[in-house]
């Protein structure tokens, strides 16, 4: 698991997009983090992949979140390749 710090409004918007695309488990992960006041969300590689897909044509307000997820996904891949 790797994590991402997220903004509350962006989290709610992203969860709605994920649910609309049928990715209920990933949406539930984000919603749970929001409901419990967490600012850091543990994500699986699959969660990150689904989030990036959901944010491919994202609204302007979610572009920063998309960029953070892309960056962390790249760092995870890099760290795995150096091991």
């Amino acid at each position: 698991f790797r994590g991402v710090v997220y903004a509350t409004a962006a989290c709610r918007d992203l969860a709605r997009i994920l649910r609309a695309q049928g990715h209920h488990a990933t949406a539930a992960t984000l919603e749970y983090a929001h409901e419990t006041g967490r600012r850091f969300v543990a994500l699986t590689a699959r969660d990150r992949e689904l989030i990036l897909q959901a944010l491919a044509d994202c609204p302007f307000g979610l572009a920063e979140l998309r960029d953070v997820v892309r960056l962390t996904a790249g760092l995870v891949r890099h760290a795995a390749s150096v091991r």
Side-chain angles (χ1 to χ4, degrees):
F1 288 93
R2 299 289 183 207
V4 173
V5 176
Y6 65 94
T8 302
C11 174
R12 285 191 311 262
D13 292 343
L14 178 56
R16 275 194 292 271
I17 292 169
L18 288 163
R19 282 209 184 275
Q21 293 179 352
H23 307 302
H24 302 287
T26 302
T29 297
L30 296 178
E31 290 164 344
Y32 178 76
H34 170 69
E35 291 165 4
T36 58
R38 297 174 189 214
R39 292 189 32 87
F40 185 82
V41 181
L43 300 172
T44 64
R46 179 71 176 147
D47 288 334
R48 283 192 305 276
E49 179 183 317
L50 293 173
I51 289 169
L52 287 173
Q53 289 173 9
L55 294 175
D57 295 318
C58 67
F60 178 75
L62 294 177
E64 183 178 356
L65 178 60
R66 179 195 59 215
D67 294 342
V68 169
V69 174
R70 281 183 181 161
L71 176 64
T72 58
L75 293 174
V76 169
R77 281 192 299 273
H78 174 72
S81 70
V82 232
R83 288 184 184 164

